[in-house]
Amino acid sequence: MGRTPTFDRTEVVRAAAAAFLDTGYEGTSVDDLVRCTGLHRGSLYQAFGSKRGLFVTALRELDHPPTPAALDLLLVATLELAPRDDEVRGLVADVLARFDDPATVLGGRLLARAHLEKGPQ
């Protein structure tokens, strides 16, 4: 029987998601995750298996309807992992299926994140 985690899983996933949003998936190191979550490296690996496992957990737990931060994490997943990771691509597809026009939602969020959205004309 495994040990009961002594950390708040929701808070750990939120802190990790914030790190992934700040520096992207590739730009976030395991050391960054250890620092922002407060977990020891061993606890992080025991709970989530890997950096990717923690990212996938955050992706699975996106708010619905998605908040701007959740859409940003979806953008990170779409740009960095979905092209080469079948599981992430499937999770992204599942979330996008909830929208009538996913391209407009993601495109609009991408422009807003870059401060390039147009205001009313």
Side-chain angles (χ1 to χ4, degrees), residues 70-80 106-107 109-110 113:
L71 287 174
D72 289 350
L73 191 64
L74 196 60
L75 284 169
V76 169
T78 302
L79 293 169
E80 295 191 45
L106 283 185
R109 184 62 201 147
L110 182 64
R113 187 172 163 97

Side-chain angles (χ1 to χ4, degrees), residues 6-112:
T6 58
F7 56 87
D8 183 331
R9 188 177 180 283
T10 300
E11 287 304 314
V12 165
V13 172
R14 282 190 184 146
F20 288 126
L21 290 178
D22 193 38
T23 55
Y25 178 80
E26 296 298 338
T28 304
S29 69
V30 171
D31 286 340
D32 294 333
L33 295 171
V34 166
R35 197 171 19 260
C36 77
T37 63
L39 291 181
H40 293 284
R41 182 179 294 262
S43 297
L44 190 145
Y45 281 112
Q46 184 174 7
F48 301 101
S50 63
K51 169 182 152 181
R52 180 191 168 280
L54 184 49
F55 184 85
V56 167
T57 299
L59 194 57
R60 286 184 186 281
E61 296 180 7
L62 286 177
D63 297 327
H64 188 76
T67 61
L71 287 174
D72 289 350
L73 191 64
L74 196 60
L75 284 169
V76 169
T78 302
L79 293 169
E80 295 191 45
L81 288 174
R84 59 186 159 87
D85 187 315
D86 291 340
E87 182 181 12
V88 170
R89 185 173 34 257
L91 290 169
V92 169
D94 288 347
V95 174
L96 293 180
R98 299 174 189 164
F99 298 107
D100 291 335
D101 186 0
T104 297
V105 172
L106 283 185
R109 184 62 201 147
L110 182 64
L111 294 176

